[in-house]
Amino acid sequence: AAMAAVAVQRVEGVTRERFLRDIYPRRKPVVLKGMELGTCTTKWTVDYLSQAEGSKEVKIHVSAVPQMDFLSKNFVYRTLPFDAFVRRAAEVKHKEYFLSEDEKYYLRSVGEDARKDIADIRKQFPVLAEDVQIPEYFEKEQFFSSVFRISSAGLQLWTHYDVMDNFLIQVTGKKRVVLYSPQDAPYLYLSGTKSEVLDVDNPDLEKYPLFVKAKRYQCFLEAGDVLFIPALWFHNVISEEFGVALNVFWKHLPAESYDKTDTYGNKDPTAASRALQILDRALKTLEELPEEYRDFYARRMVLRIQQKAYRDDYG
């Protein structure tokens, strides 16, 4: 049985002013409907997409099963010409395939050099970029990246968080997005930025008993919908149909807070990484004590962290 879900608020025709005044400061996910996105929502058919950018090579994820697992890496990376990739991602059964005839495809655009360059649709897909009007609900210098995504019907991405705010713009197709608040991190069995609970609808509760405590937020995105995902909110995305989406990430902390080597928008802010390293050193130091002392001082450390750093106004 799927866990009971809280529906994400949906708001029609939001201006930039209203977004910045009423929605943004609340730091909760919201579906923004009826935004002006350009001609992409009607123009981006399979035929148009496959001829628009020609046969330039793209690197894609190929998975034999719908649930992609970043921790066990149950997918392979392959390269296809963009036009061939679009056609294949739009089919359910494949005549040509890498792993199996019902394999799933996923493209997450990257910069020219994925290690150094951020994704920017204007650079990687200039023809398609002409069709898109990205909602500029943030300052120009806050812009971080625009990530072009295409996925097969049925593909499910693992639950993860990003350290920047972003808009998930659903251009064509339908998606279901399940979200969890940053406060529910203790129930999500994290490994870095990713949750180990892959199947959020039928979780293995013997393995992940605390997962039932995580409050599930959910929304269904249709073509033209834009989901605001605040930084640190966990999200799990299923493409219910073949579809094209665009994410825009922007920096809402001062630019120097972010890790300079971050090209994906998912490396912890530098102060957070430093704090975690210092904590690891503190825990190493505790190992010099016998167990009962370690236990006693560890509990005192937890209390101090809670008193000093937890918010007390979570509602």
Side-chain angles (χ1 to χ4, degrees), residues 275-308:
L276 290 169
Q277 283 166 354
I278 296 167
L279 176 64
D280 285 339
R281 285 208 299 278
L283 292 168
K284 195 97 189 100
T285 312
L286 275 188
E287 286 173 16
E288 295 169 21
L289 293 164
E291 189 182 29
E292 69 182 299
Y293 286 81
R294 255 205 327 263
D295 179 273
F296 175 69
Y297 289 103
R299 286 171 196 274
R300 290 189 55 192
M301 283 164 72
V302 168
L303 281 172
R304 185 171 299 187
I305 290 174
Q306 286 176 336
Q307 287 158 355
K308 280 253 185 264

PDB file of all heavy atoms in Angstrom, residues 275-308:
ATOM      1  N   ALA A 275      32.178  21.226   8.716  1.00  0.00           N
ATOM      2  CA  ALA A 275      31.579  20.873  10.012  1.00  0.00           C
ATOM      3  C   ALA A 275      31.517  19.356  10.178  1.00  0.00           C
ATOM      4  O   ALA A 275      31.811  18.816  11.255  1.00  0.00           O
ATOM      5  CB  ALA A 275      30.194  21.497  10.129  1.00  0.00           C
ATOM      6  N   LEU A 276      31.141  18.647   9.102  1.00  0.00           N
ATOM      7  CA  LEU A 276      31.051  17.185   9.190  1.00  0.00           C
ATOM      8  C   LEU A 276      32.435  16.562   9.406  1.00  0.00           C
ATOM      9  O   LEU A 276      32.576  15.580  10.132  1.00  0.00           O
ATOM     10  CB  LEU A 276      30.392  16.619   7.923  1.00  0.00           C
ATOM     11  CG  LEU A 276      28.893  16.940   7.776  1.00  0.00           C
ATOM     12  CD1 LEU A 276      28.397  16.574   6.375  1.00  0.00           C
ATOM     13  CD2 LEU A 276      28.058  16.228   8.828  1.00  0.00           C
ATOM     14  N   GLN A 277      33.453  17.144   8.778  1.00  0.00           N
ATOM     15  CA  GLN A 277      34.816  16.621   8.983  1.00  0.00           C
ATOM     16  C   GLN A 277      35.273  16.824  10.425  1.00  0.00           C
ATOM     17  O   GLN A 277      35.874  15.940  11.040  1.00  0.00           O
ATOM     18  CB  GLN A 277      35.799  17.319   8.031  1.00  0.00           C
ATOM     19  CG  GLN A 277      35.715  16.799   6.600  1.00  0.00           C
ATOM     20  CD  GLN A 277      36.427  17.722   5.599  1.00  0.00           C
ATOM     21  OE1 GLN A 277      36.890  18.812   5.945  1.00  0.00           O
ATOM     22  NE2 GLN A 277      36.491  17.283   4.365  1.00  0.00           N
ATOM     23  N   ILE A 278      34.947  18.005  10.984  1.00  0.00           N
ATOM     24  CA  ILE A 278      35.318  18.292  12.373  1.00  0.00           C
ATOM     25  C   ILE A 278      34.600  17.314  13.306  1.00  0.00           C
ATOM     26  O   ILE A 278      35.182  16.790  14.259  1.00  0.00           O
ATOM     27  CB  ILE A 278      34.969  19.760  12.735  1.00  0.00           C
ATOM     28  CG1 ILE A 278      35.805  20.720  11.888  1.00  0.00           C
ATOM     29  CG2 ILE A 278      35.174  20.020  14.228  1.00  0.00           C
ATOM     30  CD1 ILE A 278      35.319  22.172  11.925  1.00  0.00           C
ATOM     31  N   LEU A 279      33.321  17.041  13.014  1.00  0.00           N
ATOM     32  CA  LEU A 279      32.549  16.095  13.827  1.00  0.00           C
ATOM     33  C   LEU A 279      33.200  14.709  13.780  1.00  0.00           C
ATOM     34  O   LEU A 279      33.322  14.039  14.818  1.00  0.00           O
ATOM     35  CB  LEU A 279      31.107  16.025  13.324  1.00  0.00           C
ATOM     36  CG  LEU A 279      30.219  14.996  14.036  1.00  0.00           C
ATOM     37  CD1 LEU A 279      30.040  15.355  15.513  1.00  0.00           C
ATOM     38  CD2 LEU A 279      28.863  14.898  13.370  1.00  0.00           C
ATOM     39  N   ASP A 280      33.609  14.281  12.578  1.00  0.00           N
ATOM     40  CA  ASP A 280      34.264  12.969  12.468  1.00  0.00           C
ATOM     41  C   ASP A 280      35.536  12.912  13.319  1.00  0.00           C
ATOM     42  O   ASP A 280      35.821  11.902  13.955  1.00  0.00           O
ATOM     43  CB  ASP A 280      34.588  12.652  11.003  1.00  0.00           C
ATOM     44  CG  ASP A 280      33.338  12.256  10.220  1.00  0.00           C
ATOM     45  OD1 ASP A 280      32.346  11.838  10.864  1.00  0.00           O
ATOM     46  OD2 ASP A 280      33.330  12.383   8.987  1.00  0.00           O
ATOM     47  N   ARG A 281      36.274  14.034  13.343  1.00  0.00           N
ATOM     48  CA  ARG A 281      37.485  14.069  14.188  1.00  0.00           C
ATOM     49  C   ARG A 281      37.105  13.984  15.666  1.00  0.00           C
ATOM     50  O   ARG A 281      37.767  13.296  16.455  1.00  0.00           O
ATOM     51  CB  ARG A 281      38.295  15.346  13.920  1.00  0.00           C
ATOM     52  CG  ARG A 281      39.066  15.292  12.599  1.00  0.00           C
ATOM     53  CD  ARG A 281      40.331  16.150  12.659  1.00  0.00           C
ATOM     54  NE  ARG A 281      40.034  17.563  12.893  1.00  0.00           N
ATOM     55  CZ  ARG A 281      39.659  18.429  11.943  1.00  0.00           C
ATOM     56  NH1 ARG A 281      39.524  18.011  10.700  1.00  0.00           N
ATOM     57  NH2 ARG A 281      39.424  19.691  12.246  1.00  0.00           N
ATOM     58  N   ALA A 282      36.034  14.675  16.059  1.00  0.00           N
ATOM     59  CA  ALA A 282      35.592  14.631  17.458  1.00  0.00           C
ATOM     60  C   ALA A 282      35.208  13.210  17.859  1.00  0.00           C
ATOM     61  O   ALA A 282      35.547  12.739  18.955  1.00  0.00           O
ATOM     62  CB  ALA A 282      34.412  15.586  17.654  1.00  0.00           C
ATOM     63  N   LEU A 283      34.508  12.507  16.953  1.00  0.00           N
ATOM     64  CA  LEU A 283      34.084  11.135  17.260  1.00  0.00           C
ATOM     65  C   LEU A 283      35.290  10.213  17.364  1.00  0.00           C
ATOM     66  O   LEU A 283      35.328   9.292  18.184  1.00  0.00           O
ATOM     67  CB  LEU A 283      33.103  10.640  16.192  1.00  0.00           C
ATOM     68  CG  LEU A 283      31.751  11.366  16.200  1.00  0.00           C
ATOM     69  CD1 LEU A 283      30.945  11.043  14.956  1.00  0.00           C
ATOM     70  CD2 LEU A 283      30.952  11.017  17.461  1.00  0.00           C
ATOM     71  N   LYS A 284      36.299  10.464  16.520  1.00  0.00           N
ATOM     72  CA  LYS A 284      37.541   9.677  16.571  1.00  0.00           C
ATOM     73  C   LYS A 284      38.210   9.879  17.942  1.00  0.00           C
ATOM     74  O   LYS A 284      38.694   8.932  18.553  1.00  0.00           O
ATOM     75  CB  LYS A 284      38.458  10.163  15.435  1.00  0.00           C
ATOM     76  CG  LYS A 284      39.608   9.255  15.119  1.00  0.00           C
ATOM     77  CD  LYS A 284      39.268   8.355  13.928  1.00  0.00           C
ATOM     78  CE  LYS A 284      40.334   7.288  13.733  1.00  0.00           C
ATOM     79  NZ  LYS A 284      39.910   5.994  14.298  1.00  0.00           N
ATOM     80  N   THR A 285      38.188  11.127  18.420  1.00  0.00           N
ATOM     81  CA  THR A 285      38.798  11.447  19.715  1.00  0.00           C
ATOM     82  C   THR A 285      38.103  10.699  20.854  1.00  0.00           C
ATOM     83  O   THR A 285      38.752  10.219  21.792  1.00  0.00           O
ATOM     84  CB  THR A 285      38.729  12.968  19.973  1.00  0.00           C
ATOM     85  OG1 THR A 285      39.197  13.643  18.800  1.00  0.00           O
ATOM     86  CG2 THR A 285      39.591  13.381  21.151  1.00  0.00           C
ATOM     87  N   LEU A 286      36.770  10.588  20.764  1.00  0.00           N
ATOM     88  CA  LEU A 286      36.011   9.875  21.806  1.00  0.00           C
ATOM     89  C   LEU A 286      36.448   8.416  21.921  1.00  0.00           C
ATOM     90  O   LEU A 286      36.287   7.797  22.979  1.00  0.00           O
ATOM     91  CB  LEU A 286      34.508   9.904  21.488  1.00  0.00           C
ATOM     92  CG  LEU A 286      33.672  11.096  21.915  1.00  0.00           C
ATOM     93  CD1 LEU A 286      32.206  10.790  21.670  1.00  0.00           C
ATOM     94  CD2 LEU A 286      33.884  11.445  23.389  1.00  0.00           C
ATOM     95  N   GLU A 287      36.969   7.852  20.833  1.00  0.00           N
ATOM     96  CA  GLU A 287      37.361   6.434  20.862  1.00  0.00           C
ATOM     97  C   GLU A 287      38.505   6.172  21.841  1.00  0.00           C
ATOM     98  O   GLU A 287      38.791   5.027  22.165  1.00  0.00           O
ATOM     99  CB  GLU A 287      37.748   5.965  19.448  1.00  0.00           C
ATOM    100  CG  GLU A 287      36.542   5.772  18.548  1.00  0.00           C
ATOM    101  CD  GLU A 287      36.933   5.480  17.094  1.00  0.00           C
ATOM    102  OE1 GLU A 287      38.112   5.127  16.849  1.00  0.00           O
ATOM    103  OE2 GLU A 287      36.052   5.613  16.224  1.00  0.00           O
ATOM    104  N   GLU A 288      39.161   7.231  22.329  1.00  0.00           N
ATOM    105  CA  GLU A 288      40.237   7.047  23.315  1.00  0.00           C
ATOM    106  C   GLU A 288      39.665   6.677  24.689  1.00  0.00           C
ATOM    107  O   GLU A 288      40.414   6.296  25.587  1.00  0.00           O
ATOM    108  CB  GLU A 288      41.066   8.337  23.442  1.00  0.00           C
ATOM    109  CG  GLU A 288      41.812   8.687  22.158  1.00  0.00           C
ATOM    110  CD  GLU A 288      42.414  10.105  22.184  1.00  0.00           C
ATOM    111  OE1 GLU A 288      42.603  10.655  23.301  1.00  0.00           O
ATOM    112  OE2 GLU A 288      42.674  10.645  21.099  1.00  0.00           O
ATOM    113  N   LEU A 289      38.351   6.822  24.855  1.00  0.00           N
ATOM    114  CA  LEU A 289      37.724   6.538  26.156  1.00  0.00           C
ATOM    115  C   LEU A 289      37.068   5.160  26.164  1.00  0.00           C
ATOM    116  O   LEU A 289      36.666   4.664  25.111  1.00  0.00           O
ATOM    117  CB  LEU A 289      36.653   7.595  26.438  1.00  0.00           C
ATOM    118  CG  LEU A 289      37.153   9.026  26.673  1.00  0.00           C
ATOM    119  CD1 LEU A 289      35.985  10.003  26.554  1.00  0.00           C
ATOM    120  CD2 LEU A 289      37.813   9.135  28.041  1.00  0.00           C
ATOM    121  N   PRO A 290      36.899   4.567  27.341  1.00  0.00           N
ATOM    122  CA  PRO A 290      36.153   3.299  27.432  1.00  0.00           C
ATOM    123  C   PRO A 290      34.681   3.522  27.063  1.00  0.00           C
ATOM    124  O   PRO A 290      34.192   4.658  27.109  1.00  0.00           O
ATOM    125  CB  PRO A 290      36.268   2.886  28.897  1.00  0.00           C
ATOM    126  CG  PRO A 290      37.157   3.866  29.560  1.00  0.00           C
ATOM    127  CD  PRO A 290      37.399   5.019  28.641  1.00  0.00           C
ATOM    128  N   GLU A 291      34.004   2.422  26.773  1.00  0.00           N
ATOM    129  CA  GLU A 291      32.654   2.494  26.202  1.00  0.00           C
ATOM    130  C   GLU A 291      31.657   3.337  27.011  1.00  0.00           C
ATOM    131  O   GLU A 291      30.938   4.154  26.454  1.00  0.00           O
ATOM    132  CB  GLU A 291      32.110   1.066  26.022  1.00  0.00           C
ATOM    133  CG  GLU A 291      30.825   1.031  25.239  1.00  0.00           C
ATOM    134  CD  GLU A 291      30.258  -0.390  25.105  1.00  0.00           C
ATOM    135  OE1 GLU A 291      30.507  -1.231  26.013  1.00  0.00           O
ATOM    136  OE2 GLU A 291      29.579  -0.637  24.101  1.00  0.00           O
ATOM    137  N   GLU A 292      31.588   3.129  28.335  1.00  0.00           N
ATOM    138  CA  GLU A 292      30.552   3.856  29.089  1.00  0.00           C
ATOM    139  C   GLU A 292      30.797   5.363  29.070  1.00  0.00           C
ATOM    140  O   GLU A 292      29.867   6.169  29.050  1.00  0.00           O
ATOM    141  CB  GLU A 292      30.411   3.329  30.523  1.00  0.00           C
ATOM    142  CG  GLU A 292      31.591   3.621  31.418  1.00  0.00           C
ATOM    143  CD  GLU A 292      31.414   3.032  32.823  1.00  0.00           C
ATOM    144  OE1 GLU A 292      30.448   3.429  33.499  1.00  0.00           O
ATOM    145  OE2 GLU A 292      32.244   2.181  33.222  1.00  0.00           O
ATOM    146  N   TYR A 293      32.064   5.770  29.046  1.00  0.00           N
ATOM    147  CA  TYR A 293      32.397   7.199  28.955  1.00  0.00           C
ATOM    148  C   TYR A 293      32.063   7.731  27.567  1.00  0.00           C
ATOM    149  O   TYR A 293      31.527   8.832  27.423  1.00  0.00           O
ATOM    150  CB  TYR A 293      33.886   7.430  29.241  1.00  0.00           C
ATOM    151  CG  TYR A 293      34.244   7.295  30.711  1.00  0.00           C
ATOM    152  CD1 TYR A 293      34.443   6.042  31.285  1.00  0.00           C
ATOM    153  CD2 TYR A 293      34.386   8.435  31.499  1.00  0.00           C
ATOM    154  CE1 TYR A 293      34.776   5.915  32.620  1.00  0.00           C
ATOM    155  CE2 TYR A 293      34.719   8.317  32.847  1.00  0.00           C
ATOM    156  CZ  TYR A 293      34.910   7.059  33.397  1.00  0.00           C
ATOM    157  OH  TYR A 293      35.230   6.941  34.728  1.00  0.00           O
ATOM    158  N   ARG A 294      32.412   6.941  26.568  1.00  0.00           N
ATOM    159  CA  ARG A 294      32.103   7.331  25.183  1.00  0.00           C
ATOM    160  C   ARG A 294      30.612   7.583  25.028  1.00  0.00           C
ATOM    161  O   ARG A 294      30.168   8.591  24.483  1.00  0.00           O
ATOM    162  CB  ARG A 294      32.487   6.198  24.217  1.00  0.00           C
ATOM    163  CG  ARG A 294      33.738   6.457  23.434  1.00  0.00           C
ATOM    164  CD  ARG A 294      33.804   5.708  22.117  1.00  0.00           C
ATOM    165  NE  ARG A 294      33.189   4.406  22.045  1.00  0.00           N
ATOM    166  CZ  ARG A 294      33.846   3.242  22.196  1.00  0.00           C
ATOM    167  NH1 ARG A 294      35.131   3.215  22.490  1.00  0.00           N
ATOM    168  NH2 ARG A 294      33.199   2.113  22.037  1.00  0.00           N
ATOM    169  N   ASP A 295      29.816   6.647  25.545  1.00  0.00           N
ATOM    170  CA  ASP A 295      28.361   6.752  25.460  1.00  0.00           C
ATOM    171  C   ASP A 295      27.868   8.026  26.149  1.00  0.00           C
ATOM    172  O   ASP A 295      27.071   8.782  25.599  1.00  0.00           O
ATOM    173  CB  ASP A 295      27.727   5.510  26.104  1.00  0.00           C
ATOM    174  CG  ASP A 295      26.209   5.574  26.075  1.00  0.00           C
ATOM    175  OD1 ASP A 295      25.604   6.149  27.012  1.00  0.00           O
ATOM    176  OD2 ASP A 295      25.613   5.075  25.101  1.00  0.00           O
ATOM    177  N   PHE A 296      28.388   8.276  27.366  1.00  0.00           N
ATOM    178  CA  PHE A 296      27.960   9.440  28.146  1.00  0.00           C
ATOM    179  C   PHE A 296      28.278  10.752  27.415  1.00  0.00           C
ATOM    180  O   PHE A 296      27.432  11.625  27.275  1.00  0.00           O
ATOM    181  CB  PHE A 296      28.658   9.393  29.513  1.00  0.00           C
ATOM    182  CG  PHE A 296      28.387  10.592  30.375  1.00  0.00           C
ATOM    183  CD1 PHE A 296      27.120  10.813  30.908  1.00  0.00           C
ATOM    184  CD2 PHE A 296      29.402  11.498  30.668  1.00  0.00           C
ATOM    185  CE1 PHE A 296      26.879  11.917  31.734  1.00  0.00           C
ATOM    186  CE2 PHE A 296      29.168  12.601  31.488  1.00  0.00           C
ATOM    187  CZ  PHE A 296      27.899  12.812  32.011  1.00  0.00           C
ATOM    188  N   TYR A 297      29.512  10.874  26.922  1.00  0.00           N
ATOM    189  CA  TYR A 297      29.895  12.140  26.281  1.00  0.00           C
ATOM    190  C   TYR A 297      29.272  12.282  24.889  1.00  0.00           C
ATOM    191  O   TYR A 297      28.981  13.388  24.455  1.00  0.00           O
ATOM    192  CB  TYR A 297      31.420  12.301  26.264  1.00  0.00           C
ATOM    193  CG  TYR A 297      31.937  12.575  27.662  1.00  0.00           C
ATOM    194  CD1 TYR A 297      32.550  11.582  28.420  1.00  0.00           C
ATOM    195  CD2 TYR A 297      31.728  13.827  28.253  1.00  0.00           C
ATOM    196  CE1 TYR A 297      32.974  11.827  29.727  1.00  0.00           C
ATOM    197  CE2 TYR A 297      32.147  14.084  29.554  1.00  0.00           C
ATOM    198  CZ  TYR A 297      32.766  13.076  30.289  1.00  0.00           C
ATOM    199  OH  TYR A 297      33.152  13.340  31.576  1.00  0.00           O
ATOM    200  N   ALA A 298      29.043  11.180  24.237  1.00  0.00           N
ATOM    201  CA  ALA A 298      28.366  11.250  22.928  1.00  0.00           C
ATOM    202  C   ALA A 298      26.949  11.785  23.108  1.00  0.00           C
ATOM    203  O   ALA A 298      26.484  12.645  22.344  1.00  0.00           O
ATOM    204  CB  ALA A 298      28.333   9.876  22.268  1.00  0.00           C
ATOM    205  N   ARG A 299      26.248  11.317  24.151  1.00  0.00           N
ATOM    206  CA  ARG A 299      24.891  11.815  24.408  1.00  0.00           C
ATOM    207  C   ARG A 299      24.916  13.311  24.731  1.00  0.00           C
ATOM    208  O   ARG A 299      24.040  14.057  24.306  1.00  0.00           O
ATOM    209  CB  ARG A 299      24.236  11.036  25.560  1.00  0.00           C
ATOM    210  CG  ARG A 299      23.826   9.638  25.140  1.00  0.00           C
ATOM    211  CD  ARG A 299      23.384   8.778  26.325  1.00  0.00           C
ATOM    212  NE  ARG A 299      23.370   7.382  25.922  1.00  0.00           N
ATOM    213  CZ  ARG A 299      22.326   6.787  25.332  1.00  0.00           C
ATOM    214  NH1 ARG A 299      21.230   7.475  25.063  1.00  0.00           N
ATOM    215  NH2 ARG A 299      22.395   5.516  24.984  1.00  0.00           N
ATOM    216  N   ARG A 300      25.935  13.740  25.494  1.00  0.00           N
ATOM    217  CA  ARG A 300      26.038  15.170  25.798  1.00  0.00           C
ATOM    218  C   ARG A 300      26.303  15.973  24.529  1.00  0.00           C
ATOM    219  O   ARG A 300      25.794  17.089  24.375  1.00  0.00           O
ATOM    220  CB  ARG A 300      27.144  15.411  26.830  1.00  0.00           C
ATOM    221  CG  ARG A 300      26.752  14.881  28.214  1.00  0.00           C
ATOM    222  CD  ARG A 300      27.723  15.304  29.279  1.00  0.00           C
ATOM    223  NE  ARG A 300      27.902  16.763  29.311  1.00  0.00           N
ATOM    224  CZ  ARG A 300      28.878  17.364  29.997  1.00  0.00           C
ATOM    225  NH1 ARG A 300      29.747  16.650  30.705  1.00  0.00           N
ATOM    226  NH2 ARG A 300      28.978  18.680  29.986  1.00  0.00           N
ATOM    227  N   MET A 301      27.086  15.414  23.626  1.00  0.00           N
ATOM    228  CA  MET A 301      27.374  16.109  22.360  1.00  0.00           C
ATOM    229  C   MET A 301      26.096  16.248  21.519  1.00  0.00           C
ATOM    230  O   MET A 301      25.830  17.299  20.950  1.00  0.00           O
ATOM    231  CB  MET A 301      28.464  15.368  21.584  1.00  0.00           C
ATOM    232  CG  MET A 301      29.864  15.609  22.138  1.00  0.00           C
ATOM    233  SD  MET A 301      31.072  14.384  21.541  1.00  0.00           S
ATOM    234  CE  MET A 301      31.264  14.881  19.835  1.00  0.00           C
ATOM    235  N   VAL A 302      25.310  15.167  21.484  1.00  0.00           N
ATOM    236  CA  VAL A 302      24.047  15.219  20.744  1.00  0.00           C
ATOM    237  C   VAL A 302      23.152  16.320  21.307  1.00  0.00           C
ATOM    238  O   VAL A 302      22.587  17.130  20.567  1.00  0.00           O
ATOM    239  CB  VAL A 302      23.321  13.849  20.781  1.00  0.00           C
ATOM    240  CG1 VAL A 302      21.889  13.977  20.269  1.00  0.00           C
ATOM    241  CG2 VAL A 302      24.091  12.824  19.948  1.00  0.00           C
ATOM    242  N   LEU A 303      23.027  16.364  22.637  1.00  0.00           N
ATOM    243  CA  LEU A 303      22.201  17.398  23.268  1.00  0.00           C
ATOM    244  C   LEU A 303      22.695  18.791  22.904  1.00  0.00           C
ATOM    245  O   LEU A 303      21.924  19.690  22.614  1.00  0.00           O
ATOM    246  CB  LEU A 303      22.216  17.246  24.795  1.00  0.00           C
ATOM    247  CG  LEU A 303      21.310  16.154  25.349  1.00  0.00           C
ATOM    248  CD1 LEU A 303      21.545  15.952  26.839  1.00  0.00           C
ATOM    249  CD2 LEU A 303      19.836  16.526  25.100  1.00  0.00           C
ATOM    250  N   ARG A 304      24.015  18.962  22.923  1.00  0.00           N
ATOM    251  CA  ARG A 304      24.567  20.279  22.628  1.00  0.00           C
ATOM    252  C   ARG A 304      24.265  20.676  21.183  1.00  0.00           C
ATOM    253  O   ARG A 304      23.915  21.824  20.898  1.00  0.00           O
ATOM    254  CB  ARG A 304      26.067  20.289  22.885  1.00  0.00           C
ATOM    255  CG  ARG A 304      26.632  21.679  22.708  1.00  0.00           C
ATOM    256  CD  ARG A 304      28.060  21.807  23.144  1.00  0.00           C
ATOM    257  NE  ARG A 304      28.232  21.509  24.570  1.00  0.00           N
ATOM    258  CZ  ARG A 304      29.401  21.686  25.219  1.00  0.00           C
ATOM    259  NH1 ARG A 304      30.438  22.147  24.564  1.00  0.00           N
ATOM    260  NH2 ARG A 304      29.496  21.400  26.486  1.00  0.00           N
ATOM    261  N   ILE A 305      24.384  19.722  20.274  1.00  0.00           N
ATOM    262  CA  ILE A 305      24.065  20.006  18.866  1.00  0.00           C
ATOM    263  C   ILE A 305      22.601  20.412  18.744  1.00  0.00           C
ATOM    264  O   ILE A 305      22.258  21.392  18.075  1.00  0.00           O
ATOM    265  CB  ILE A 305      24.379  18.776  17.978  1.00  0.00           C
ATOM    266  CG1 ILE A 305      25.890  18.564  17.867  1.00  0.00           C
ATOM    267  CG2 ILE A 305      23.779  18.967  16.582  1.00  0.00           C
ATOM    268  CD1 ILE A 305      26.288  17.288  17.128  1.00  0.00           C
ATOM    269  N   GLN A 306      21.724  19.667  19.417  1.00  0.00           N
ATOM    270  CA  GLN A 306      20.290  19.987  19.338  1.00  0.00           C
ATOM    271  C   GLN A 306      19.998  21.372  19.899  1.00  0.00           C
ATOM    272  O   GLN A 306      19.265  22.155  19.296  1.00  0.00           O
ATOM    273  CB  GLN A 306      19.467  18.930  20.088  1.00  0.00           C
ATOM    274  CG  GLN A 306      19.378  17.622  19.318  1.00  0.00           C
ATOM    275  CD  GLN A 306      18.647  16.541  20.091  1.00  0.00           C
ATOM    276  OE1 GLN A 306      18.587  16.574  21.318  1.00  0.00           O
ATOM    277  NE2 GLN A 306      18.089  15.587  19.383  1.00  0.00           N
ATOM    278  N   GLN A 307      20.596  21.687  21.057  1.00  0.00           N
ATOM    279  CA  GLN A 307      20.330  22.989  21.681  1.00  0.00           C
ATOM    280  C   GLN A 307      20.875  24.130  20.833  1.00  0.00           C
ATOM    281  O   GLN A 307      20.249  25.173  20.693  1.00  0.00           O
ATOM    282  CB  GLN A 307      20.961  23.047  23.082  1.00  0.00           C
ATOM    283  CG  GLN A 307      20.201  22.205  24.108  1.00  0.00           C
ATOM    284  CD  GLN A 307      21.070  21.831  25.312  1.00  0.00           C
ATOM    285  OE1 GLN A 307      22.270  22.120  25.347  1.00  0.00           O
ATOM    286  NE2 GLN A 307      20.468  21.168  26.284  1.00  0.00           N
ATOM    287  N   LYS A 308      22.053  23.927  20.274  1.00  0.00           N
ATOM    288  CA  LYS A 308      22.733  25.017  19.575  1.00  0.00           C
ATOM    289  C   LYS A 308      22.267  25.196  18.133  1.00  0.00           C
ATOM    290  O   LYS A 308      22.245  26.312  17.614  1.00  0.00           O
ATOM    291  CB  LYS A 308      24.254  24.729  19.541  1.00  0.00           C
ATOM    292  CG  LYS A 308      24.956  25.077  20.810  1.00  0.00           C
ATOM    293  CD  LYS A 308      25.803  26.346  20.585  1.00  0.00           C
ATOM    294  CE  LYS A 308      26.647  26.732  21.770  1.00  0.00           C
ATOM    295  NZ  LYS A 308      26.000  27.734  22.616  1.00  0.00           N
TER     296      LYS A 308
END
